Amino acid sequence: MTNQAKQPCLKVIPLGGLHEIGKNTCVFEYGDDIMLVDAGLAFPSDGMHGVNVVMPDTSYLRENQKRIRGMIVTHGHEDHIGGIAHHLKNFNIPVIHGPRLALAMLTGKMEEAGVMDRTILQTVAPRDVVKVGQHFSVEFIRNTHSMADSFSLAITTPVGTVIFTGDFKFDHTPVDGETFDMARLAHYGEQGVLCLFSDSTNSEVPGFCPPERSVFPCLDRHISQAEGRVIITTFASSIHRVAMILELALKNGRKVGLLGRSMLNVIAKARELGYMRAPDDLFVPIKQIRDLPDRETLLLMTGSQGEPLAALSRISRGEHPQVQVKTSDTIIFSASPIPGNTISVVNTIDRLMMLGAKVVYGKGEGIHVSGHGFQEDQKLMLALTKPKFFVPVHGEHRMLVCHSKTAQSMGVPGENILIIDNGDVVELTADSIGKGEPVKAGIELLDASRNGIVDARVLKERQQLAEDGVITMLAVISTDGVMAAPPRVNLRGVVTTADARKLSLWAEREITWVLENRWQQLSRNSGGKAPDVDWMGVQREIEIGLQRRLRRELQVEPLIICLVQPAPGGTPAYKGRADAEPDTRPAPRGGRHGGGRDDRRDRPERADRAPRVVEARAEQQPRRELAAVGAAAPASAAAAPAAKAEEPEVEGRTRRRRSAAAG
Ligand SMILES: [Zn+2]
Ligand SMILES: [Zn+2]
């Protein structure tokens, strides 16, 4: 075993794309060389408030950037190229090899991000072979997918050849006539393939995936029968679909108006490069298209996923400046919702129907086919490449499991198959496959600017705000440790049966408890006139206490923000409420020395979530608070490890949310 470990092996490390659909990012590593294959993004799931895009954690690549020799791009979908412009700001990628169309789309993103000078883009043609570093040589094998100009890869390494399918289906009558280069796959299969990494998206679906062309007659029927305008939405990046829609518009004597930035961009790029052939006069600017008769109009737009800001979503809400729904409209959804988007899509459909339009959507209409192969496509891939080892990729967990069963039914032994997660390290030698020590993998959330990172703690706070609201509390405490005024408590978005009086009474009790049991640790007599008070610590203790009480008494967990207003020493104490009912809480037994073990046991939950709340807030608005409390100590170092430990938990939570949404 140790011998084997010393033997150089090929490492394949996916940093995204597993147990999810999205942000496909894969690392190939041999000796001193690192080669990347694709770098995509994913879209946020419910609960990721204010998050625009989701990126994989690339700490591993940042740490090892000196060894990165280059990147290979398989095709131009966002889940494969959407992360590149962002990564180029953070680490070095000397060269990117990829298909013409994908790199044209990437150029737009890189220009926008101002990183055009950070790398070299090299376009490839089918069967081109490129060398990356000392150890990798990659052949681009034409495949078929919903996106034009897409490739599978044959990666030759010192331990053997790896076939990396990229996204694929076997479409024998592709819209652009570019057929799957199956001969090349078979060639490698004959020579011997060490390992196959294959697209698992539709591994649960039996049969062959229908060809893209099969939607043509169904779309044709709906368009030719439409009495008024035709409005169609699909993914802008589904180049073949868009090309067919343009062809149908021409055939049916309708002019085309385009709505949505990505639709305009992608069509411009694809026409420029010759992936779509449509005469210039087919297109009419949206402002002028209203002058044409409805029966001669086709509007092609974004919004097939119910994205709130996309054209069709805005139209459905009556918020679009140029287009309003008419009862004579036929609106066609030529796409199926990505898991997680289903609710927004059906809501959009409902709104459009309520406005009186005829809406065509759903599986039975034959207006959409997947770009990813079904079980029989996957079997054909296995049959052609005859791999020794097999790793299903690009899919959620159940899809990976299902794909591995298909491989076993094709004769790949179970022990030669690995189901892995993001960050796992696949170690391959000429005759073995295994898992190494995993590397750091997780998510990085970007806000609308795509520059600001929404870290896990910020996200947690937003979730807390959204779910349970916020309580702010002002406490006036003198430097010699007495409560100098009644606390003021404010609620926003908190549903509670407790009245304001009770809440301020509880706040009072927590303050009193902290002053009685924690003051000694939190204030130090440094020899000067006034003691040195850790006001941040005081706030934190009060927040923790109130949080715990609210959880116990009301079963709510609002975000709690305590501000302490220091008063000069000698300020008379506020005595608290004489008329208050007795405290129901078990009396805290901190003892004179406080902070002992017993004391911790008395507040067992203190470490479980509250420190994060405090620490995160301290980071975000330190100026104001420090000003308010004078020379308060910075966020204590002790809180930092706790916050660090939180990150995986939050990540786990978001992942759970996503899979719940997918299910
Ligand atoms: Zn794709
Ligand atoms: Zn994909």
Side-chain angles (χ1 to χ4, degrees):
M1 194 62 210
T2 41
N3 246 350
Q4 196 153 31
K6 277 177 196 160
Q7 214 180 313
C9 64
L10 169 69
K11 293 180 182 175
V12 185
I13 313 165
L15 294 176
L18 291 173
H19 295 189
E20 63 178 343
I21 299 285
K23 65 180 172 65
N24 299 284
T25 307
C26 196
V27 181
F28 279 72
E29 203 174 316
Y30 188 92
D32 212 25
D33 288 347
I34 284 181
M35 174 178 84
L36 302 175
V37 175
D38 291 339
L41 55 73
F43 293 101
S45 50
D46 294 344
M48 292 190 185
H49 308 285
V51 172
N52 245 41
V53 295
V54 181
M55 295 280 178
D57 183 325
T58 51
S59 318
Y60 183 72
L61 294 174
R62 272 175 278 176
E63 281 156 22
N64 293 286
Q65 61 171 311
K66 285 214 173 68
R67 298 199 285 134
I68 300 175
R69 309 290 175 230
M71 176 187 270
I72 303 290
V73 165
T74 58
H75 68 290
H77 272 149
E78 284 282 288
D79 62 324
H80 296 260
I81 65 164
I84 298 173
H86 174 72
H87 298 328
L88 283 170
K89 292 179 192 165
N90 296 314
F91 54 85
N92 215 20
I93 307 171
V95 57
I96 300 175
H97 304 275
R100 221 156 53 105
L101 182 58
L103 295 193
M105 293 167 74
L106 178 59
T107 304
K109 292 173 197 299
M110 286 171 57
E111 277 167 358
E112 220 170 274
V115 292
M116 267 322 274
D117 56 343
R118 304 273 173 96
T119 188
I120 297 164
L121 300 179
Q122 293 278 3
T123 56
V124 296
R127 297 200 178 187
D128 276 2
V129 178
V130 300
K131 215 162 160 45
V132 179
Q134 293 289 309
H135 298 108
F136 299 114
S137 95
V138 181
E139 177 171 347
F140 286 80
I141 300 173
R142 168 64 75 225
N143 74 13
T144 44
H145 181 41
S146 47
M147 174 106 200
D149 206 1
S150 173
F151 287 101
S152 296
L153 308 173
I155 302 168
T156 304
T157 76
V159 296
T161 300
V162 168
I163 300 287
F164 191 91
T165 67
D167 294 4
F168 78 96
K169 67 177 187 181
F170 284 102
D171 189 338
H172 303 300
T173 50
V175 173
D176 59 2
E178 291 265 324
T179 49
F180 207 132
D181 193 353
M182 292 158 67
R184 225 37 213 159
L185 286 180
H187 160 81
Y188 281 103
E190 272 300 285
Q191 285 197 334
V193 169
L194 177 66
C195 189
L196 173 69
F197 289 77
S198 187
D199 174 4
S200 308
T201 313
N202 281 326
S203 65
E204 297 164 296
V205 189
F208 276 107
C209 183
E212 177 67 27
R213 200 80 206 172
S214 67
V215 304
F216 191 87
C218 303
L219 283 175
D220 192 15
R221 183 163 45 83
H222 287 293
I223 294 171
S224 60
Q225 286 171 1
E227 299 286 327
R229 294 186 303 186
V230 172
I231 294 176
I232 303 187
T233 183
T234 187
F235 286 110
S237 59
S238 298
I239 303 286
H240 301 313
R241 187 72 46 83
V242 171
M244 282 193 288
I245 292 166
L246 297 180
E247 191 182 332
L248 283 165
L250 199 62
K251 177 171 177 273
N252 286 283
R254 289 176 184 262
K255 296 286 183 196
V256 176
L258 302 175
L259 282 95
R261 206 164 75 113
S262 60
M263 194 60 85
L264 286 152
N265 286 346
V266 172
I267 291 179
K269 286 260 153 62
R271 290 182 70 214
E272 189 186 307
L273 297 174
Y275 290 100
M276 275 178 205
R277 267 169 269 281
D280 287 344
D281 66 359
L282 181 67
F283 301 94
V284 176
I286 208 75
K287 277 182 184 154
Q288 288 159 32
I289 209 160
R290 286 183 290 187
D291 303 335
L292 294 174
D294 287 351
R295 292 201 63 146
E296 291 170 23
T297 305
L298 185 147
L299 301 176
L300 178 56
M301 60 184 67
T302 52
S304 68
Q305 299 300 306
E307 312 93 312
L309 297 178
L312 189 57
S313 315
R314 292 172 67 198
I315 290 171
S316 76
R317 293 192 304 265
E319 290 169 5
H320 199 279
Q322 276 122 10
V323 182
Q324 286 78 41
V325 170
K326 299 180 185 180
T327 51
S328 57
D329 287 343
T330 301
I331 303 175
I332 302 172
F333 278 76
S334 186
S336 63
I338 294 175
N341 293 345
T342 313
I343 292 170
S344 13
V345 173
V346 295
N347 287 344
T348 308
I349 293 172
D350 278 352
R351 284 195 298 269
L352 292 167
M353 280 184 171
M354 284 159 79
L355 291 168
K358 175 184 173 191
V359 185
V360 185
Y361 67 96
K363 287 209 167 85
E365 296 286 349
I367 49 173
H368 176 69
V369 292
S370 176
H372 300 269
F374 296 176
Q375 280 172 1
E376 297 302 316
D377 299 73
Q378 291 168 351
K379 285 182 190 170
L380 181 52
M381 181 58 82
L382 283 153
L384 287 166
T385 54
K386 298 187 280 188
K388 184 189 271 184
F389 301 112
F390 176 64
V391 181
V393 291
H394 202 290
E396 293 167 7
H397 186 73
R398 59 186 188 285
M399 303 168 186
L400 306 180
V401 171
C402 212
H403 201 177
S404 83
K405 285 183 186 149
T406 304
Q408 288 179 57
S409 78
M410 298 280 296
V412 182
E415 64 268 23
N416 286 10
I417 300 173
L418 269 192
I419 292 181
I420 49 170
D421 201 350
N422 296 327
D424 278 347
V425 177
V426 178
E427 294 184 342
L428 283 158
T429 68
D431 47 24
S432 72
I433 188 167
K435 264 191 228 184
E437 257 321 285
V439 306
K440 189 163 182 267
I443 52 176
E444 213 166 76
L445 307 172
L446 304 189
D447 67 3
S449 68
R450 295 206 175 182
N451 290 316
I453 291 177
V454 183
D455 81 19
R457 281 164 294 155
V458 173
L459 184 66
K460 182 80 185 175
E461 285 182 329
R462 288 182 182 177
Q463 287 167 348
Q464 240 181 319
L465 281 170
E467 283 160 22
D468 287 315
V470 58
I471 293 181
T472 57
M473 170 169 49
L474 178 69
V476 184
I477 296 172
S478 73
T479 49
D480 47 10
V482 300
M483 180 166 40
R488 281 169 54 188
V489 181
N490 250 298
L491 278 67
R492 287 288 182 275
V494 181
V495 178
T496 169
T497 47
D499 58 15
R501 202 182 130 273
K502 185 172 255 178
L503 280 164
S504 68
L505 179 68
W506 286 348
E508 222 169 75
R509 291 221 164 107
E510 292 308 328
I511 295 167
T512 310
W513 187 89
V514 170
L515 294 178
E516 281 173 6
N517 298 283
R518 290 278 190 260
W519 189 256
Q520 283 197 337
Q521 293 108 287
L522 293 166
S523 69
R524 276 179 305 279
N525 236 322
S526 50
K529 270 174 268 166
D532 196 5
V533 181
D534 174 7
W535 292 110
M536 284 291 197
V538 174
Q539 290 174 32
R540 186 161 50 240
E541 291 286 352
I542 297 171
E543 284 168 352
I544 293 169
L546 188 60
Q547 186 139 38
R548 182 165 172 254
R549 186 186 280 266
L550 289 173
R551 187 161 40 198
R552 192 182 61 234
E553 306 270 351
L554 301 175
Q555 287 78 50
V556 293
E557 297 190 41
L559 189 69
I560 295 175
I561 300 171
C562 174
L563 298 171
V564 175
Q565 173 85 58
T571 308
Y574 160 66
K575 294 287 181 218
R577 296 187 191 202
D579 60 338
E581 66 260 46
D583 193 354
T584 54
R585 188 173 90 167
R589 306 235 176 272
R592 205 168 275 270
H593 301 289
R597 223 180 258 166
D598 291 341
D599 187 45
R600 257 164 214 283
R601 198 175 300 148
D602 182 53
R603 299 188 133 192
E605 294 157 84
R606 66 191 299 277
D608 101 35
R609 67 182 286 174
R612 167 188 356 120
V613 176
V614 179
E615 218 243 338
R617 186 173 49 73
E619 251 173 34
Q620 277 164 38
Q621 12 165 264
R623 283 145 265 107
R624 249 185 123 151
E625 276 180 34
L626 287 178
V629 298
S636 85
K644 215 171 242 171
E646 284 304 328
E647 279 176 27
E649 185 211 306
V650 174
E651 186 199 315
R653 171 170 177 163
T654 55
R655 185 175 292 162
R656 275 199 303 280
R657 285 166 166 270
R658 174 182 309 147
S659 50

